[in-house]
Amino acid sequence: MTFNHRLSVFAAALALAGCSSIQAVVPPAPNTSAQVVYEARAAQVTAAAGALAWVKTVCPIQATCNDPRVDAVVDGSITADTVISTAEATVRSGTSDSTALQKAATAAQNALSAFQAILTQYGVKVTPTPNGSS
Amino acid sequence: METLVLILGVLKTALAVADAASPVYTFLTSVVSRLEAAQAENRDLTAEDWAYIDQLAAQYLTQLKGYHSVTAALLALAPAQPPTGT
């Protein structure tokens, strides 16, 4: 992806967001596999926060929770965490194997996409409100 | 590179809808500043950068696991169990 392409994607996202106040915290484009994995981890954490807020509304009483939708979301979170943790281990291992690094970055991205798809399927908001409820 | 755009989009969307007073906004702002610092200084992310994000990931995962039904939790464990018999 060229710099200009990234810039146009950036601009489009900002225009869609319609909020100039977030410009200062828009993430930079990753330069390395480690940064790609780090961003995937950040998105995973954000998604997990939204998932937790949703789960709390579905299962107000945690001990008696027995909902297949919740199980699917929790399983998806576990899978994403496992894959991204493995990718993180690779990019932090100090290896210079570019193929291994690229595979790790791609795996992290795919794991996040799969988790996002599960959340979308159940209508889970990605971002919780300040008090943790959805 | 479509998936990369997707991830950036996820973060941007989260930032766009997050309340500036929310923990998620604070978290994302911190993540972005750490990435920006690494890029600006042309260095890898530090162990502290990773520890910050890993701690939060583990925290949310632990809480989510608490909502697993007993049946689903057992099924999730099944593949990890060693095979029985000879």
Side-chain angles (χ1 to χ4, degrees), chain A residues 3 5-6 38 46 57 66 68 70-72 76 81 83 91 95 105 108 111 118 121-122:
Chain A
F3 176 76
H5 189 185
R6 276 185 177 159
Y38 197 79
T46 305
T57 64
N66 188 16
V70 170
D71 289 338
D81 186 78
V83 174
V91 299
T95 181
I118 292 171
Q121 181 181 346
Y122 295 112

Side-chain angles (χ1 to χ4, degrees), chain A residues 25-128:
Chain A
V25 287
V26 168
N31 285 336
T32 67
S33 296
Q35 289 169 2
V36 170
V37 174
Y38 197 79
E39 283 211 355
R41 178 65 106 188
Q44 177 214 343
V45 170
T46 305
L52 181 62
W54 174 80
V55 164
K56 286 179 177 177
T57 64
V58 174
C59 286
I61 303 174
Q62 179 180 343
T64 59
C65 189
N66 188 16
D67 189 310
R69 297 172 303 164
V70 170
D71 289 338
V73 167
V74 174
D75 287 339
S77 178
I78 292 171
T79 300
D81 186 78
T82 301
V83 174
I84 294 174
S85 292
T86 302
E88 178 183 329
T90 299
V91 299
R92 296 183 66 188
S93 68
T95 181
S96 57
D97 184 338
S98 59
T99 302
L101 291 170
Q102 181 57 48
K103 281 184 178 178
T106 301
Q109 291 172 322
N110 289 341
L112 175 66
S113 296
F115 186 32
Q116 286 290 330
I118 292 171
L119 298 183
T120 300
Q121 181 181 346
Y122 295 112
V124 180
K125 290 180 183 176
V126 171
T127 306

